[in-house]
Every structure is written in C-alpha cells, then in structure tokens.
Amino acid sequence: MASLEKIGANERGRAALAAALLMCAGTAFLTGLTVLPNAKTRHLAVIFPPTAALTDILGDLSAHPVQFIGTGGWDNIVVVRPEDGVQADHMQFENALFVVDALAGGACLSAESRSGSLKRGLL
C-alpha cells in the first residue's frame, strides 16, 4: 500500500513540474512577442555585451540609419530611433545581443508625450 502512495506522489510531482515548465515557456514566448520590434516601432533599445565601451557602441551605430537618443541604466544599453522610412523590424546591429522595442515594456522609455518628446523611464 505504501508503494502505491509513493507512486501517486511521484506522478503528482512530475505533473506539477510539467505544468510549471509549460507556464514558463508560455510566458517567455508571449514576452518575446511583445518586446520584438515591428514595422511601426519608433524607438529601439539595443543591448550590447556588458564589456562593450560606449565609444565602440556609438561607432557601431554610426553605420546605421538611426538617431541616438541616449543610454539606459548602463552604457551597454542604448536607445535609438530609426530614421524616417526605415523599418525597425529589419534593423540588425553588429555585436548587439538583443534589439527590442524600447517602449514595449516601459523600461527604457516610459512614455512619449503628444509633442513627440520622450520621458525617461527606469533604464
């Protein structure tokens, strides 16, 4: 009888683990869809390796049709605005780890006013 109870507990533990993994995977997938830039994205947060110097990052950015807005909480995170007519979803930067929508999560730029000026957020 004790062995049957032990089997039931193991199965419940595996089912709970599988449910937790599915929830984590779903959350990661939806977060990825939210922060990825699309054709209408106006501000990009470009995340470089922590060891990258700001001068090297600015050199990398100069090869692209973007306007530098500022840095995030660290110098390896920069916020840029693609020039008019350039689709943000096709932007790729050398040495960048991630390119995300700066306004999607509200972390880099918290809001945009009606005049188009930016209000700085957390990063």
Side-chain angles (χ1 to χ4, degrees):
M1 185 102 175
S3 63
L4 290 177
E5 290 174 5
K6 191 174 186 179
I7 291 173
N10 285 339
E11 288 179 11
R12 283 193 299 270
R14 279 186 264 182
L17 178 63
L21 289 174
L22 282 173
M23 286 177 27
C24 289
T27 301
F29 177 74
L30 291 175
T31 300
L33 289 178
T34 302
V35 299
L36 289 177
N38 59 40
K40 296 179 182 180
T41 301
R42 294 186 52 206
H43 300 97
L44 298 172
V46 186
I47 304 166
F48 289 89
T51 57
L54 184 58
T55 54
D56 296 334
I57 291 171
L58 293 176
D60 287 347
L61 294 178
S62 66
H64 299 282
V66 295
Q67 177 186 6
F68 176 75
I69 303 296
T71 60
W74 298 277
D75 286 345
N76 67 313
I77 301 172
V78 294
V79 179
V80 297
R81 180 184 312 143
E83 292 179 359
D84 292 336
V86 177
Q87 291 187 342
D89 57 344
H90 296 292
M91 299 289 303
Q92 293 183 346
F93 297 89
E94 252 183 77
N95 304 322
L97 298 175
F98 302 103
V99 178
V100 298
D101 185 345
L103 297 174
C108 290
L109 299 169
S110 59
E112 186 173 1
S113 69
R114 292 176 197 247
S115 66
S117 64
L118 299 172
K119 297 178 183 177
R120 298 293 294 196
L122 299 174
L123 298 178

